[in-house]
Amino acid sequence: MERIRACLVAMAVASLCGVAQVRSSSSDHRYKAGDDVPLYANKVGPYHNPSETYRYFDFPFCSPAPVKEKKEALGEVLNGDRLVSAPYNLEFLTEKEAEIACKRKLTKKEVAKFRAAISKDYYFQMYYDDLPIWGFLGKVDKESKADPSDYRYYLFKHLIFEIYHNKDRVIEVTVRSDPNSLVDLTEDEPVGVDFMYTVKWKETNTPFEKRMDKYSLSSSLPHQLEIHWFSIINSCVTVLLLTGFLATILMRVLKNDFVKYAHDDESADDQEESGWKYIHGDVFRYPKHKSLLAAALGCGTQLFTLAIFIFILALVGVFYPYNRGALFTALVVIYALTSGIAGYTAASFYCQLEGANWVRNLLLTGSLFCGPLFVTFCFLNTVAIAYKATAALPFGTIVVILLIWALVTSPLLVVGGIAGKNRKEEFQAPCHTTKYPREIPPLPWYRKTLPQMAMAGFLPFSAIYIELYYIFASVWGHRIYTIYSILFIVFIILLIVTAFITVALTYFQLAAEDHEWWWRSFLCGGSTGLFIYAYCLYYYIAWSDMSGFMQTSFFFGYMACICYGFFLMLGAIGFRASLLFVRHIYRSIKCE
C-alpha cells in the first residue's frame, strides 16, 4: 500500500512537471520531406455550447482503418479531449490538390444527423503537430428566406489545409472549406459524398519557439489591453476612494474610542461602559458550531494556497494557449498535495477552541468542499453519459481520481490534522471571557446578517466584475485569455478589499454591542462568491448563446462549485483579517 501511494504521489508530481514540458518535448518535432506528421481529429460540437462536445467519428465522416486513439493524460481527459487518427494524410512538404479521402453514401438517418448539426453551428477541432485547427461542418442558406422551412442546409465536403513551415518544422496550420464544394442535405434522401482535401505548403520565417504566440496575442491586442487596464484603474480608483473613506472614518473613530476608554479608566467615576469595550468579556467567547467553522477555515486556506500556486504556474508560462488539460492536471495535483494544509489549519484552530472530537472535525474538513463537488460531478457526469458527450469521464479516469483522493489527499489530510492537533497552542485572547454571555441589544434590520453580507460582497465584486466577463468568455466560450499578470493584480485587489470591508463591518458590529462576530465575519468575507454566482445568471442570459439541458446544467452546476470555493476562500480571508483586528483593538485597552 505504501508503495502504491508513493507511486501515485510520484505520478502526480511528474504529471505536474510534465505540463511545463509539453511545449519542448511532444511538439518539438523535426521532419523530412514525405514524413508523416501526426494529424488527430478531436471532437465536434455546437459552437455556443462549449461543454457539449462529441467524438469526431460519432458523425459519419471518413474513418481510417483502423481508427487509432491517442493516449490522453489526466488533464486532457478531464478537458473532454478524445483524439483519434484523422482520415487525412498530410505528409511533410507534400502538396495535394482535391485528393479524395473517401467516398461515402449517407443514409437518411445520417443526413438528418448532419443537418441537425449544421443547424446548430457544429464545429470540428483537430490537432496537427499539436497545433489546433477548427472548421464548421457546413452552412445554412437563409438568404431571402423568411420561413425556416425554406432554409437550405449544405455540408462542406472539401477541406483546404494551408501549412507554414520553417525549414524542417511545422509553424502554423489553418483549414478552410471550399465554398464551391457543397452537398445539399435539405431533403431526407440518401446522398453520396466525396470527402476531399487539398494541402498547400508555404515557408515562413517565424521561429519554432514563437509558433504559439499568435494564439496568445489575440488577448493582448492594444484595444484589449486598454480594456483590461481600464478595468484595473477603475477597480483601483474605486477601491482607493471607498477604502480610504472607510479607513479615515474607522481610524478616527478608533482613535476617539481609545482616548475615551483611556480617560474612563483614569477617572474615578463608575460610569457604565458602552460600545465595543462594553462586550470585552464576550467578544472572545467561542462560536457555535466551532467544528464547522474550523473546517471551513481549513478548506478556505487550502483553496487560497491552491489559487496562489495556480497563479505562479500561470505567470511562469505553463498555461499557454491550447496546452491541452494543463490547468485541470494542475488543479487535481495541487489540490491533492495541499490537503495537508486544510487538515493542519482546521485541526489546530479547532483544538485552540477547545474542541474535543478532532477526528470528526477532520472528516468534516475533508468532505466540506469535496462532498458537494462529488455530488455535482456525479449528476453532471450522468447527464453527459446520457448525451454520449466527451465530457463523460471514462471509468478508468474516475478510478484514478478516486485513488488519488484515497491514497494521496486523505492521508495528507490526516497527517496535517495530526500535526495541527499536536501543536497544542492556546487561543490568544487579550481579554478574559465571562461565564455568562451578555444579551445582544435589538438591532435594526440593516445590521442583520443578510444585509451585512450584501454590503460586504458588493464592494469586492465591483472591483472584479469587468474582468469576470473575459474569464467567463474564456472558460465558457472560445475567447483566449493569457493576461495572467493583470488577473493576478485583480486577485490581489479582491483579497485586500475583502479583508478591509470585513474588518470595517466587524467593527460596526462590535460597536453595536453585538459580540457574535465569528460567523458573521466569515459569511461577510465569502459573500462575494454569491455575487459571482448571481453574475453567472446575468452572463448566461445577456452575453452567452448557450442552450440545452446539458450545457445549462454544466454551466450552473460547475459554477456553483467554483463560487462555493470562492465563498470558502474569501470567507477565510475575511475571518483571519477580522480576528487580527479584534485582537489588536482589545489588546490596546485595559480589560478588567
Side-chain angles (χ1 to χ4, degrees), residues 286-287 290-291 293-294 348-355 427 518:
Y286 298 150
K290 55 189 177 183
S291 180
L293 179 62
S348 62
F349 189 72
Y350 179 66
C351 292
Q352 287 180 35
L353 300 184
E354 300 177 4
F427 184 76
W518 301 72

Side-chain angles (χ1 to χ4, degrees), residues 243-258 500 503-508 581:
T243 54
F245 177 72
L246 287 173
T248 303
I249 294 178
L250 201 59
M251 292 180 68
R252 180 173 295 180
V253 170
L254 274 174
K255 184 179 179 180
N256 292 337
D257 286 347
F258 288 142
F500 193 89
V503 165
L505 290 177
T506 299
Y507 169 77
F508 294 134
F581 171 75

Side-chain angles (χ1 to χ4, degrees), residues 21-281:
Q21 297 173 355
V22 173
R23 189 194 309 233
S24 59
S25 60
S26 66
S27 299
D28 191 7
H29 291 159
R30 298 177 182 270
Y31 302 99
K32 298 178 182 178
D35 284 354
D36 287 331
V37 182
L39 174 66
Y40 293 103
N42 188 13
K43 52 193 176 183
V44 296
Y47 182 78
H48 299 293
N49 290 354
S51 300
E52 186 185 346
T53 55
Y54 304 94
R55 290 177 179 269
Y56 185 80
F57 290 117
D58 285 348
F59 287 79
F61 293 108
C62 288
S63 58
V67 175
K68 298 179 181 179
E69 295 192 2
K70 185 177 183 296
K71 189 175 181 181
E72 303 285 352
L74 175 62
E76 294 172 327
V77 177
L78 294 176
N79 195 41
D81 291 336
R82 304 290 186 272
L83 272 67
V84 294
S85 53
Y88 308 107
N89 297 317
L90 277 60
E91 295 89 356
F92 192 69
L93 297 182
T94 303
E95 295 201 348
K96 298 180 180 181
E97 184 66 36
E99 182 160 324
I100 296 178
C102 76
K103 296 182 178 182
R104 180 148 191 164
K105 186 77 171 179
L106 300 181
T107 64
K108 291 183 180 180
K109 187 176 180 180
E110 291 172 338
V111 168
K113 188 171 186 178
F114 264 131
R115 186 172 60 245
I118 293 170
S119 67
K120 296 179 181 178
D121 290 329
Y122 269 52
Y123 72 98
F124 66 84
Q125 184 187 50
M126 297 182 181
Y127 281 91
Y128 184 66
D129 195 43
D130 279 343
L131 292 172
I133 47 179
W134 308 264
F136 285 97
L137 301 190
K139 70 173 185 176
V140 182
D141 183 9
K142 303 179 181 180
E143 188 175 352
S144 303
K145 299 177 178 66
D147 189 353
S149 61
D150 295 331
Y151 292 169
R152 309 296 296 182
Y153 299 88
Y154 297 100
L155 174 69
F156 295 133
K157 67 174 184 177
H158 186 187
L159 297 181
I160 301 173
F161 295 90
E162 290 188 354
I163 308 172
Y164 294 83
H165 70 98
N166 186 344
K167 297 179 181 178
D168 56 355
R169 286 174 164 178
V170 176
I171 303 299
E172 182 180 346
V173 58
T174 60
V175 64
R176 56 185 174 87
S177 302
D178 186 353
N180 299 318
S181 296
L182 304 173
V183 180
D184 193 341
L185 302 181
T186 307
E187 306 297 332
D188 280 327
E189 297 294 336
V191 176
V193 182
D194 295 343
F195 287 99
M196 300 182 296
Y197 67 105
T198 294
V199 184
K200 297 179 179 180
W201 286 87
K202 298 180 181 180
E203 194 164 2
T204 179
N205 293 323
T206 304
F208 179 82
E209 293 74 17
K210 295 185 177 181
R211 71 173 190 163
M212 299 300 294
D213 288 356
K214 77 166 191 173
Y215 303 105
S216 58
L217 287 176
S218 62
S219 63
S220 304
L221 296 175
H223 69 279
Q224 293 283 355
L225 286 176
E226 287 177 6
I227 296 174
H228 289 289
W229 282 114
F230 172 77
S231 167
I232 288 185
I233 294 172
N234 173 67
S235 301
C236 289
V237 171
T238 304
V239 168
L240 287 175
L241 287 176
L242 292 175
T243 54
F245 177 72
L246 287 173
T248 303
I249 294 178
L250 201 59
M251 292 180 68
R252 180 173 295 180
V253 170
L254 274 174
K255 184 179 179 180
N256 292 337
D257 286 347
F258 288 142
V259 172
K260 174 187 171 185
Y261 293 147
H263 177 72
D264 291 343
D265 289 335
E266 293 171 1
S267 64
D269 299 331
D270 293 331
Q271 64 184 57
E272 186 177 0
E273 295 177 342
S274 62
W276 53 269
K277 186 182 178 184
Y278 175 69
I279 57 172
H280 64 79

Side-chain angles (χ1 to χ4, degrees), residues 234-485:
N234 173 67
S235 301
C236 289
V237 171
T238 304
V239 168
L240 287 175
L241 287 176
L242 292 175
T243 54
F245 177 72
L246 287 173
T248 303
I249 294 178
L250 201 59
M251 292 180 68
R252 180 173 295 180
V253 170
L254 274 174
K255 184 179 179 180
N256 292 337
D257 286 347
F258 288 142
V259 172
K260 174 187 171 185
Y261 293 147
H263 177 72
D264 291 343
D265 289 335
E266 293 171 1
S267 64
D269 299 331
D270 293 331
Q271 64 184 57
E272 186 177 0
E273 295 177 342
S274 62
W276 53 269
K277 186 182 178 184
Y278 175 69
I279 57 172
H280 64 79
D282 297 274
V283 72
F284 292 106
R285 188 179 305 278
Y286 298 150
K288 299 175 183 178
H289 312 296
K290 55 189 177 183
S291 180
L292 180 60
L293 179 62
L297 188 63
C299 290
T301 306
Q302 180 189 5
L303 292 173
F304 172 71
T305 308
L306 171 65
I308 294 298
F309 274 109
I310 291 296
F311 270 115
I312 292 174
L313 292 178
L315 292 173
V316 299
V318 170
F319 304 132
Y320 60 90
Y322 303 108
N323 184 1
R324 297 188 307 275
L327 178 60
F328 289 102
T329 302
L331 286 172
V332 171
V333 172
I334 296 175
Y335 183 84
L337 297 179
T338 56
S339 60
I341 295 175
Y344 177 83
T345 304
S348 62
F349 189 72
Y350 179 66
C351 292
Q352 287 180 35
L353 300 184
E354 300 177 4
N357 198 340
W358 66 276
V359 176
R360 187 178 67 177
N361 174 254
L362 270 187
L363 293 175
L364 184 60
T365 304
S367 59
L368 190 61
F369 180 72
C370 289
L373 180 62
F374 179 73
V375 171
T376 303
F377 163 76
C378 289
F379 170 73
L380 295 180
N381 202 59
T382 303
V383 171
I385 292 173
Y387 274 73
K388 298 180 180 179
T390 60
L393 295 189
F395 178 74
T397 303
I398 297 175
V399 171
V400 169
I401 293 176
L402 291 177
L403 284 175
I404 291 175
W405 179 81
L407 300 179
V408 179
T409 305
S410 297
L412 289 178
L413 179 74
V414 173
V415 170
I418 294 174
K421 180 185 76 75
N422 294 333
R423 188 181 178 187
K424 299 185 183 302
E425 181 180 354
E426 294 185 359
F427 184 76
Q428 302 296 322
C431 302
H432 294 291
T433 302
T434 58
K435 188 174 183 180
Y436 300 103
R438 292 182 185 270
E439 183 178 355
I440 299 174
L443 300 173
W445 66 269
Y446 56 84
R447 288 189 179 274
K448 301 293 184 180
T449 301
L450 289 179
Q452 293 285 294
M453 289 176 64
M455 286 188 281
F458 176 75
L459 183 57
F461 175 77
S462 66
I464 65 171
Y465 80 96
I466 296 179
E467 207 65 25
L468 272 182
Y469 166 78
Y470 294 97
I471 298 172
F472 274 56
S474 174
V475 176
W476 299 105
H478 302 279
R479 184 187 291 268
I480 300 173
Y481 191 100
T482 58
I483 316 177
Y484 301 115
S485 55

